[in-house]
Amino acid sequence: MESDDLEAELADTITRLGGLGPAPTRADVHALRERVGVLFSKLSRTVPDGPRHDRLHAALRRAEQLLVHASERADRAVTVAHISAARRRAAPR
């Protein structure tokens, strides 16, 4: 069933989100954001309204929240890298 595939894809996406670590790349976050968008689309097409739909929709909303936090960490990692590089360039030789 396509809706079972959706559940497996959602579980895989959430696992990947959890495995991003403290400094994910912006590319990783972007790829997962696109994947969550596709899963939202599949959810509306394949799972009829009801408790299962509500549960999967809530899980996708949680995945979006995790993406926001991952995006913030990615931005912070880039900022830290830029600051570190600037300090290295400015350091006396």
Side-chain angles (χ1 to χ4, degrees):
M1 284 174 92
E2 192 171 339
S3 61
D4 290 336
D5 293 341
L6 172 71
E7 199 159 349
E9 286 183 60
L10 177 57
D12 182 56
T13 300
I14 291 172
T15 300
R16 286 182 180 203
L17 276 167
L20 283 177
T25 65
R26 286 179 172 170
D28 289 340
V29 173
H30 180 72
L32 287 171
R33 181 173 283 127
E34 285 183 358
R35 192 168 179 187
V36 168
V38 168
L39 292 175
F40 264 118
S41 178
K42 282 184 179 180
L43 175 66
S44 65
R45 287 190 327 251
T46 61
V47 181
D49 285 342
R52 184 165 186 245
H53 181 277
D54 295 343
R55 183 176 51 80
L56 291 172
H57 192 263
L60 281 168
R61 283 195 316 266
R62 178 66 181 135
E64 280 186 324
Q65 291 172 344
L66 292 172
L67 276 168
V68 168
H69 296 297
S71 180
E72 290 169 353
R73 290 193 320 270
D75 289 345
R76 202 172 317 121
V78 169
T79 301
V80 168
H82 287 170
I83 291 169
S84 296
R87 284 182 179 159
R88 280 193 301 278
R89 287 191 303 271
R93 295 178 193 244

